[in-house]
Amino acid sequence: MNLSSNNIEHLLTTSDPQAVDELFAEACRVRDKVYGRKVFMRGLIEISNHCKNDCLYCGIRRSNLSVKRYRLSKEQILDCCRTGRELGFRTFVLQGGEDAWFTDDIVCDIVRDIKRQFPDCAITLSLGERGYDSFRRLREAGADRYLLRHETADATHYSYLHPADMSFEHRMQCLRDLRSLGFQVGAGFMVGSPGQTLDTLMKDLAFIADFRPEMVGIGPFIPAADTPFENQVAGSVDMTVRLLAIIRLLHPSVLLPATSALGTMHPKGRERAIMAGANVVMPNLSPQDTRALYSIYNNKLATGSEAAESAADIRLRLHAIGMEVPDDRGDHVEMKSYNS
Ligand code: SAH
């Protein structure tokens, strides 16, 4: 398929349903060639909603005083992993706000204990920006992957979405540091975030084609109550799935989740993403009583097919669209020899 900038812009804006269907079909062919008709499951554990940052879009931003804050203990995190391991998960994603309580010592200790108890499982961290030495220690403790969405590849747009004490340069530096330390790196962005234009999206795609992150997380922006963007309109499901397909074509071996934000916006959001070339789902493995508190956006789904305890149902729904759901770590293909 023609992936010139002109044609990508056409694919993102066309109202010709046949062109869009062909895009999706081609993205699925490319995914199936690299990974087979497989969807990899990851269990998402939201370890803390304390955050020192004040990202304008995010419901758990520091200045949102209406959020009840929590953090999980090591024992709670290990319990989540135990439940997940029994449900067939072989990857645990520890995500949280930037919470200074989770020092390097504490996170390394948790990572080592998870690896000791579940040696066949991969650990993904998603704890925001840290320094090179911190990332190095987490990697040495056994973390395999790190998710840090770049949020937007346009520096001016970045400063529209973030307060002045956060910088585009530092976020990008973190991604380069993670890469150089041997992490499988996840980048990504919200679709339809305030201030986003076709031009900033084209920069996101160029960044992905150039940096080639092992994983790319994209989902629609959804307004969060009590944030500066609470009255903005949400991003579109249609645009998100088109972007998923284009990312698959630009970077065939990418691991591409059908995100919860997509599932929240549309009851068939996950299926639509898979049929556009996605190949990862990340159901929620957090303790039941903290799920509602990790409210990065309104009405975030953590039940039904977004809940890890529904793993059997998730498998059925994926089988129904012709996908297998293997019980393996689901590493990025070019990294297999590296990690085994
Ligand atoms: N503190 C971590 C984890 C952030 S939450 C970090 O900085 O990486 C994970 C992702 O949720 C964010 O990277 C952001 O892209 C997304 N997110 C935050 N608020 C959102 C909103 N209102 N709508 C949709 N996605 C949102």
Side-chain angles (χ1 to χ4, degrees):
M1 191 166 276
N2 171 357
L3 294 175
S4 67
S5 301
N6 273 344
N7 202 45
I8 289 177
E9 290 191 18
H10 169 70
L11 291 167
L12 289 175
T13 50
T14 182
S15 49
D16 171 7
Q18 201 186 329
V20 178
D21 284 348
E22 278 165 20
L23 167 68
F24 294 161
E26 180 64 14
C28 287
R29 266 196 296 278
V30 168
R31 174 202 56 211
D32 296 352
K33 219 170 132 193
V34 181
Y35 286 100
R37 289 190 66 78
K38 290 181 187 160
V39 176
F40 304 106
M41 285 208 297
R42 328 286 198 203
L44 178 66
I45 307 171
E46 296 156 336
I47 68 170
S48 170
N49 71 351
H50 289 263
C51 193
K52 72 173 175 58
N53 286 336
D54 223 13
C55 307
L56 276 75
Y57 45 84
C58 184
I60 61 168
R61 67 201 297 266
R62 170 185 75 216
S63 53
N64 187 353
L65 301 180
S66 60
V67 175
K68 186 175 160 225
R69 307 283 169 171
Y70 76 92
R71 62 175 63 93
L72 302 186
S73 66
K74 177 165 100 172
E75 288 64 37
Q76 285 178 299
I77 296 170
L78 287 165
D79 280 346
C80 293
C81 295
R82 196 162 303 118
T83 306
R85 178 71 183 64
E86 280 160 18
L87 289 166
F89 291 87
R90 297 292 179 274
T91 292
F92 305 118
V93 182
L94 274 49
Q95 188 174 79
E98 291 194 20
D99 179 358
W101 189 86
F102 281 100
T103 57
D104 295 342
D105 283 342
I106 290 179
V107 183
C108 287
D109 179 54
I110 293 170
V111 167
R112 276 192 292 265
D113 271 8
I114 297 176
K115 281 286 178 176
R116 207 171 295 138
Q117 294 191 26
F118 311 99
D120 60 348
C121 294
I123 299 180
T124 306
L125 299 176
S126 180
L127 303 173
E129 297 176 31
R130 301 172 85 100
Y132 181 87
D133 282 327
S134 169
F135 288 145
R136 183 178 50 74
R137 291 190 58 195
L138 301 176
R139 177 80 184 125
E140 285 167 5
D144 303 277
R145 313 180 184 138
Y146 204 101
L147 304 181
L148 185 75
R149 290 185 174 182
H150 64 286
E151 311 296 359
T152 170
D154 179 282
T156 310
H157 186 214
Y158 190 91
S159 49
Y160 184 75
L161 297 174
H162 299 95
D165 63 357
M166 289 179 73
S167 91
F168 176 68
E169 237 334 288
H170 190 253
R171 198 134 185 119
M172 288 293 176
Q173 186 59 47
C174 287
L175 288 170
R176 289 190 293 268
D177 289 347
L178 290 163
R179 162 70 50 85
S180 74
L181 287 162
F183 281 97
Q184 297 177 43
V185 180
F189 57 92
M190 293 174 286
V191 178
S193 61
Q196 187 175 68
T197 62
L198 199 51
D199 183 52
T200 63
L201 278 175
M202 293 304 286
K203 288 188 182 167
D204 289 317
L205 295 175
F207 167 71
I208 287 164
D210 175 52
F211 188 76
R212 305 187 92 69
E214 283 75 20
M215 305 163 282
V216 173
I218 68 164
F221 160 75
I222 302 176
D226 304 310
T227 64
F229 293 155
E230 66 179 345
N231 296 318
Q232 302 278 335
V233 288
S236 112
V237 171
D238 175 52
M239 190 66 161
T240 306
V241 289
R242 290 186 198 201
L243 283 159
L244 285 170
I246 290 167
I247 292 167
R248 169 66 61 203
L249 296 180
L250 288 170
H251 181 11
S253 66
V254 72
L255 289 159
L256 206 52
T259 52
S260 307
L262 206 49
T264 296
M265 290 274 297
H266 193 282
K268 291 269 172 200
R270 176 181 312 101
E271 281 88 346
R272 287 184 62 183
I274 303 293
M275 289 184 318
N279 64 342
V280 173
V281 292
M282 287 175 43
N284 201 311
L285 251 186
S286 308
Q288 296 284 355
D289 56 339
T290 62
R291 283 186 195 177
L293 300 176
Y294 196 80
S295 50
I296 53 178
Y297 49 81
N298 295 343
N299 309 315
K300 186 164 131 299
L301 274 192
T303 53
S305 290
E306 292 298 335
E309 56 288 357
S310 319
D313 169 61
I314 296 170
R315 286 172 200 275
L316 282 178
R317 283 178 63 169
L318 293 168
H319 292 158
I321 55 169
M323 304 299 292
E324 298 162 44
V325 187
D327 277 355
D328 71 31
R329 292 172 30 135
D331 284 297
H332 182 254
V333 283
E334 287 156 12
M335 302 286 290
K336 264 190 180 148
S337 53
Y338 189 86
N339 270 287
S340 58

